[in-house]
Amino acid sequence: MPEKTRLRIALAGNPNTGKSTVFNALTGLKQHTGNWAGKTVGNAVGEFSFGAWQAQLYDLPGIYSLFSECAEERAAKDFICYEQPDIVLVVLDATSLERNLPLGLQIMELTENVIFCLNLTDEAEKRGISVDDVRLEKLTGVPVIKMAARQGVGLLELKEMLLAVAEGRKSIRPIGIDWDAFTPETESGYRSAEFQEKRSLAFLSRAKEICDAVVQKKEERDSRTECMDKILLSAKTGIPFMLLLLGGVFWITVAGANVPSEFLMRQFHQCGAVMRNGLLTLQAPLWLQGLLLDGVWLTVSWVVAVMLPPMAIFFPLFTLLEDFGLLPRIAFNLDGLFQKAGAHGKQALTMWIEKFTMFFLYH
């Protein structure tokens, strides 16, 4: 394939923006992993084609800023600065654009060849958030592609934009920050901590201005969400409701598991009797009968009959509580208490699962 038809594309963004989903959707199985040269930070490289072009896609580490000195930030910044990819795709989370946009603005200072992938637009719509992608493109000077990569929405439009940029039909002119007001008096001032802090704040102030202009949120909230918040996040009713809810889950699990557990035990007992008769018919030695029936078979029978039914009930119930948004609110309620012990409120949920497992193991 001629050299002119090849492109090197970098994929950047905050963690948890769906960056890996975009990477996998574009490259499919044509990818491999490794380490950046001279660094222990992992990377993924894949290939995909669009039109007459063959692209190598480099998945940069998920980062929040280019200004910190951790290995991930250095690897991402060095790749953009020194490797000079032809295009940098910056994945932005449409549900929290103000938090994601500063990184995109920072990357715009390093290279002009930037495209914004406004991902998770489906989740934003569910939360009553709408982002004006046309105005966002006008304020930043960067092409914006609205996407829901998990459903494959926007991938075709992204490839068409890449083709237009690669063929020169789409010009990119990023609108950066006016740094005249931030210019230090001396050359050494550029390296001062005060200047670095001002520079970081400038990206945050600019991101907020843009988001105020392009993001709209519905004022009315879902009635179910409001009701849940009033009950579960209240200082008076939150803890009692949590105890009642988790206690109800525990009772349903224990009571509901009795019937299938007894059924499984009967089936295992009957199978064990058939196996014992077979071993007696074969005149197997007593030690072999004890090993196979009283050891292996009895242990497997008890573990499956005792643990499988409650797990089959408990974990689907926990999944439903998660889907309805109850578990995150429980974790929020207990966060203050757990922080006093140097822990996090989310650990309450894992502790509950642990106590549930221990109960069925020892009772």
Side-chain angles (χ1 to χ4, degrees):
M1 184 173 294
E3 186 66 26
K4 66 177 183 178
T5 63
R6 298 188 66 85
L7 279 181
R8 297 169 73 246
I9 302 175
L11 189 64
N14 289 179
N16 303 316
T17 57
K19 186 165 64 71
S20 297
T21 306
V22 175
F23 178 81
N24 292 331
L26 287 173
T27 62
L29 299 177
K30 299 178 180 178
Q31 54 188 255
H32 68 271
T33 58
N35 287 328
W36 303 104
K39 298 177 176 65
T40 58
V41 180
N43 69 65
V45 183
E47 292 188 355
F48 68 99
S49 59
F50 56 98
W53 297 80
Q54 183 73 17
Q56 257 192 333
L57 184 62
Y58 295 82
D59 188 11
L60 303 183
I63 57 175
Y64 293 101
S65 171
L66 294 176
F67 294 146
S68 61
E69 289 301 317
C70 71
E72 287 80 5
E73 274 83 356
R74 286 200 303 271
K77 182 165 57 178
D78 290 349
F79 187 88
I80 296 174
C81 290
Y82 303 123
E83 298 295 332
Q84 296 182 348
D86 299 297
I87 299 174
V88 179
L89 299 180
V90 181
V91 182
L92 305 174
D93 182 355
T95 65
S96 55
L97 184 61
E98 188 173 338
R99 185 184 66 190
N100 287 233
L101 191 55
L103 177 63
L105 298 177
Q106 293 169 21
I107 293 176
M108 285 165 51
E109 296 290 329
L110 299 180
T111 176
E112 292 186 350
N113 301 321
V114 178
I115 297 176
F116 285 164
C117 302
L118 190 63
N119 195 29
L120 300 175
T121 54
D122 54 333
E123 293 294 329
E125 290 176 2
K126 292 178 182 178
R127 302 182 189 184
I129 301 173
S130 62
V131 181
D132 188 342
D133 56 312
V134 176
R135 186 160 177 76
L136 178 59
E137 181 170 337
K138 184 179 296 185
L139 291 174
T140 59
V142 169
V144 178
I145 305 297
K146 298 183 75 171
M147 302 182 67
R150 187 168 48 190
Q151 286 77 32
V153 177
L155 288 175
L156 179 59
E157 290 81 358
L158 176 58
K159 289 184 178 181
E160 290 176 351
M161 179 59 68
L162 288 172
L163 186 61
V165 172
E167 294 179 347
R169 294 184 285 106
K170 175 70 175 180
S171 59
I172 303 176
R173 296 184 177 89
I175 302 173
I177 295 175
D178 184 6
W179 293 106
D180 292 341
F182 299 91
T183 304
E185 297 179 357
T186 62
E187 189 70 25
S188 61
Y190 285 98
R191 296 186 296 272
S192 66
E194 182 181 358
F195 175 73
Q196 297 296 332
E197 183 178 356
K198 286 184 178 179
R199 186 173 63 167
S200 299
L201 290 175
F203 287 112
L204 294 175
S205 305
R206 177 61 178 158
K208 187 178 187 309
E209 291 175 2
I210 295 174
C211 289
D212 289 342
V214 303
V215 178
Q216 290 185 344
K217 298 181 180 179
K218 292 183 180 178
E219 294 297 330
E220 64 275 9
R221 298 184 63 194
D222 183 60
S223 58
R224 188 189 71 179
T225 301
E226 283 189 353
C227 183
M228 288 170 54
D229 287 347
K230 287 180 181 179
I231 297 175
L232 291 173
L233 301 183
S234 169
K236 294 182 179 179
T237 61
I239 300 296
F241 188 87
M242 175 201 71
L243 295 174
L244 182 64
L245 180 67
L246 295 179
V249 171
F250 189 79
W251 180 83
I252 291 173
T253 303
V254 174
N258 286 335
V259 175
S261 289
E262 292 176 358
F263 173 78
L264 288 174
M265 285 301 298
R266 287 196 300 269
Q267 300 303 312
F268 279 120
H269 179 73
Q270 293 176 5
C271 291
V274 172
M275 293 170 61
R276 189 177 297 276
N277 291 333
L279 290 174
L280 289 174
T281 303
L282 296 174
Q283 296 183 350
L286 292 178
W287 66 267
L288 182 59
Q289 296 182 36
L291 175 64
L292 295 178
L293 297 177
D294 300 328
V296 176
W297 182 253
L298 187 60
T299 302
V300 171
S301 301
W302 273 99
V303 170
V304 173
V306 173
M307 291 301 299
L308 182 60
M311 290 175 65
I313 297 173
F314 178 80
F315 286 104
L317 286 176
F318 237 54
T319 303
L320 287 175
L321 295 181
E322 172 70 27
D323 291 341
F324 281 110
L326 296 173
L327 294 187
R329 288 170 172 82
I330 292 175
F332 176 83
N333 255 348
L334 296 176
D335 187 58
L337 183 63
F338 272 69
Q339 281 191 3
K340 293 180 180 179
H344 193 282
K346 291 181 180 179
Q347 291 180 251
L349 307 178
T350 56
M351 287 181 63
W352 175 254
I353 294 176
E354 179 187 358
K355 297 302 180 185
F356 159 83
T357 305
M358 297 298 291
F359 176 85
F360 281 96
L361 281 176
Y362 294 103
H363 291 77

